[in-house]
Each structure stands twice: as C-alpha cells, then as structure tokens.
Amino acid sequence: MAEFHKLIANVREALEHQVAAPAHNGEAASAEAVPTAQAARRVELASQFARELQAVGGHFLGTPTPKETIACVLEVATALNARSVAVGAGIFIDPAPIVDALERAGIEVFRTAPVADDAARAVLRQTLAQCDFALVEADYAIAATGTLAMLATPERPSSLTLVPPVNVILVSIERILTDLAAAIAAIGAEAIASHRLALVTGPSRTADIEKRIVLGVHGPRELHVAAVWQGND
C-alpha cells in the first residue's frame, strides 16, 4: 500500500511539473496546465484518505465509477449475507440504480423519508435496527484523518448511520478535502448551525469496560467507504 501512495505522489509531481514535449512541427509546446493534474490531485487525496481510514479500522472500496459502485455495494451485501438495507437520499450520487440492483438480488430496501412525530421516529429507529446495513452518501471526506462529514436531514437522519450495524458510505471523490478546516469552510456556518453535523472516523469503538476495545457499541461495527469518481477528467 505504501508503494501505491508513493506512486500516486510521483504521478502528481510529474503532471504538475511536466516538461512539455516539442510540437510535431518543431514549435515550442504550450506550457498550459493539463486537466490530468486535477485528476491526479484527487487520486492523491483519495489515497491519503484510504490510508487513514484503514488505520482506524475502516474498509476502503476504491474509486469506482457510479456504474462500478453498484457492484461494490452488492459485494458488501453478499459478504454480509444481507437481507435488508436502509438507503438514504443521495446528494450528488443517485442511489436508484443501486436500489434496483439490491432489489433484483432479493434484498429488501428501506428508503428513509421525513417523519412527522416522535412515534414515527421510534418506528423508524426500530426499522433501521432490523436492517443489515445502511447505504449513505457523505457530504465530505477529510483526507488527513480518514473522517467522513455528514449533515443530518429529514431524508438522511442521523439514526441512519448510528443504528444499523454496518455502514456503506459513498462520497464523491471531488469532495475529499485536505483537512477539517477545509471541510468546515466548505459546509459553511449556516448549514452547521441549522443541521446536526456528524464527523465519523472509523467504526464505533469504546474501551469503557476493562479498557478492552469493543466495536459497535455506540454505532456501526463496520465502516465501508467508496470514493465515487464522477468527473470527466
């Protein structure tokens, strides 16, 4: 894995400081930056995020395209022998094709939606507790710490990532930012003031009892993350 990260860094360096080859007619080539430099930067941030995520016990599913993401989610569902999945509303990633694939595989899908009162909220939590995993899109990811930033909304309630025993989180690769300060700036003060912001770093763990690490006590015991590559570069 370390060699992979080194390779990514070398690719980025080569792209951002490349020496342009002469044009075929002998004229000097343009020194204009090429779009691949941005793509290399995204790969570098995704690579750093993956390393930090795995360091805290998370599982990185790679940088699939939206179409490839379907197979990634199905692979996790098969490994878990999942029978039911809770799916939150997407932000930039349309979950509909994934939902269709899950249902074709015989897996029951529960789509979260706004609830009217406490009684309905309690029913929602009971339903989520019976799901084998939750599929959620994060607002941002933080490369420096392997953290996911998620704003709770009625269509993506905070219970969606807290109650099911396993989380599969999707994040657009261009929304992987360098550090917490960049994520806070991108989300904005107004959104933070009006929504509950969850910062998730790895599976839930505690050492309250005899200082022994136990996973999944206050949240999911497993965390799988895919950085979805949606750009044209």
Side-chain angles (χ1 to χ4, degrees):
M1 194 66 176
E3 290 301 319
F4 170 72
H5 295 305
K6 183 178 179 181
L7 174 62
I8 293 300
N10 290 340
V11 169
R12 178 206 168 196
E13 181 73 12
L15 289 169
E16 292 187 344
H17 300 90
Q18 61 181 311
V19 177
H24 65 86
N25 58 6
E27 296 179 354
S30 170
E32 184 177 350
V34 295
T36 47
Q38 185 180 47
R41 178 58 174 160
R42 289 176 180 173
V43 170
E44 182 186 35
L45 287 174
S47 177
Q48 182 183 7
F49 171 81
R51 182 178 64 243
E52 298 300 327
L53 174 72
Q54 291 167 342
V56 293
H59 304 277
F60 188 63
L61 301 176
T63 57
T65 64
K67 185 176 181 180
E68 293 168 340
T69 302
I70 298 172
C72 287
V73 175
L74 285 175
E75 186 174 341
V76 174
T78 299
L80 295 172
N81 195 25
R83 301 296 183 191
S84 60
V85 179
V87 179
I91 303 173
F92 295 100
I93 302 168
D94 181 11
I98 302 174
V99 169
D100 290 343
L102 289 168
E103 291 179 333
R104 286 198 301 273
I107 298 172
E108 182 182 4
V109 176
F110 172 73
R111 300 295 304 270
T112 53
V115 295
D117 51 37
D118 288 344
R121 195 167 294 107
V123 172
L124 170 64
R125 285 195 292 267
Q126 287 181 337
T127 302
L128 293 175
Q130 295 170 357
C131 291
D132 294 300
F133 71 89
L135 177 66
V136 191
E137 182 176 353
D139 292 84
Y140 291 96
I142 300 171
T145 56
T147 300
L148 296 152
M150 293 180 280
L151 289 171
T153 68
E155 297 79 14
R156 293 183 299 128
S158 56
S159 56
L160 181 60
T161 55
L162 287 173
V163 179
V166 177
N167 278 182
V168 177
I169 309 292
L170 309 179
V171 62
S172 295
I173 194 168
E174 63 267 27
R175 293 170 79 86
I176 301 178
L177 305 179
T178 53
D179 53 28
L180 178 60
I184 293 296
I187 295 170
E190 183 176 349
I192 293 174
S194 57
H195 297 77
R196 178 177 296 177
L197 172 63
L199 297 172
V200 178
T201 306
S204 171
R205 63 181 62 206
T206 181
D208 290 346
I209 302 175
E210 297 181 350
K211 300 185 183 303
R212 297 178 61 181
I213 297 295
V214 179
L215 299 178
V217 176
H218 304 300
R221 68 173 187 273
E222 287 186 29
L223 182 66
H224 304 259
V225 183
V228 181
W229 192 295
Q230 302 193 82
N232 297 321
D233 48 5

